[in-house]
Amino acid sequence: MKELVILGSTGSIGIQGLEVARKLGIKVTGLTAGKNAKLLEKQAREFKPLYVALSDENMARDLKIRLKDTDIKVLSGEDGICDIAQSTGDTVLSAIVGIAGLKPTISAINAGKTIALANKETMVTGGVIVNRLAKENGVKILPVDSEHSAIFQSLQGTPKGSLKKILLTASGGPFLGKTKDELENVTAKQALKHPNWSMGAKITVDSATLMNKGLEVIEAVHLFGVSESDIEVLIHPQSILHSGIELSDGAVIAQLGTPDMRLPIQYALTYPNRANFFERLSLADIGTLTFCKPDTETFRCLPLCIEAIRKGGLYPTAVNGANEESVRLFLEGKIGFLDIAKLNEMAMLSIKNKADFTVEDIFETDAAARRSVIENSKNVV
Ligand code: NAD
Ligand code: MG
């Protein structure tokens, strides 16, 4: 029987992860969140984990008082979250948003836990280190990101060495087909209206800029050991074909399904077995699936991420950290939509690269990229 920890349990993936755990009857032993004490308390009362943690120290103190009538231990801060990631459960659903997910995921890997990985920023920033630690600790990393789950599912049973290419699909987001001029004044509210998926705010904006696809190219390089030049990004507005692979004989294998994140979460939690809880796909009802090339002239974040992984080292960390900051500024109405890519590029080009780097180097580069965005954002408005 699996024992599950969910890092980021109050977020979009975390909530769906708990829904899957409820259906599968998985025991939940740890839950963590950033600041949402109210929802974490509700989840704790239902799932009765051994531990919960909030990164916000004051809120954690408050939650401790509120949960006094239970046996649940309340921890706080990043250390508390890392403690939970390593000390309980055998499987960790890594679903914190942003680079904040990196250290807790590394803690879980060092403790030998199986990782169901939603937090793509862990792979984008720490992919090389994370893969090395996973190997040393005999840890499986099972992708939850829908595209990577689709690639992973497509790879099941294919012989080693037969993978020729990855086909990474993208919905194109709410601004598919728009020109630069039309994007000049789009608002956060418009960017947050994703046509197919309901997700957290940061990844929804990343889908609108195609930054999300750029991050996913980097994630795929680390998860599947391919070069970025072996990944073809395809716009597929229906979000039914979740990604696929091309093999040496030209055969293309892909995974199709309804756009429902509970499915890849469920696969990561039941792998290699299959469960049977959610809505099934009717291709006849969908009728048409379409594909085209992405517009990389308008949506600059995608080629920027590809350049970052081609250059390697700390460039992916820089572009990721810059993006976390520019998305925050965009959501606060302080910069325009097209400024996100501009600021990300300036930040990326400003960092000092290193081919061999440590976790400390990652956080230093992340901070430098964020400073660059904040500094340069004053000039774009
Ligand atoms: P979200 O914003 O809805 O939730 C994020 C969770 O992380 C919340 O529980 C929040 O409390 C917690 N958190 C935020 N900042 C934190 C911090 N500094 N320290 C500790 N905890 C913190 O995000 P989401 O949409 O659920 O995405 C989570 C991750 O999964 C992201 O990396 C995202 O790219 C990835 N992902 C999400 C989806 C999706 O459908 N939402 C799909 C694929 C991949
Ligand atoms: Mg995805």
Side-chain angles (χ1 to χ4, degrees), residues 118 120 144-148 168-169 197 199 203 207 212-213 216 219 242 261:
K120 64 192 81 187
V144 167
D145 210 347
S146 58
E147 297 77 1
H148 305 74
L168 186 69
T169 51
W197 300 95
M199 310 179 284
I203 184 175
S207 298
N212 184 49
K213 215 44 54 179
E216 290 184 355
E219 184 186 12
H242 296 305
M261 283 309 296

Side-chain angles (χ1 to χ4, degrees), residues 7-14 16 32-36 55 81 94-98 100 118-121 144-147 197-203 212 216 261:
L7 306 173
S9 66
T10 58
S12 162
I13 292 290
Q16 295 179 84
T32 82
K35 294 182 174 162
N36 194 342
S55 68
I81 293 175
S94 167
I96 292 175
V97 62
N119 177 251
K120 64 192 81 187
E121 296 89 346
V144 167
D145 210 347
S146 58
E147 297 77 1
W197 300 95
S198 157
M199 310 179 284
K202 190 251 176 192
I203 184 175
N212 184 49
E216 290 184 355
M261 283 309 296

Side-chain angles (χ1 to χ4, degrees), residues 13-15 37 43 54 64 202 211 220 234 257 286 346 363 365:
I13 292 290
I15 291 169
Q43 294 176 338
L54 285 167
K64 200 171 189 167
K202 190 251 176 192
M211 181 74 193
L234 278 171
I286 288 157
M346 282 191 259
F363 281 94
T365 303

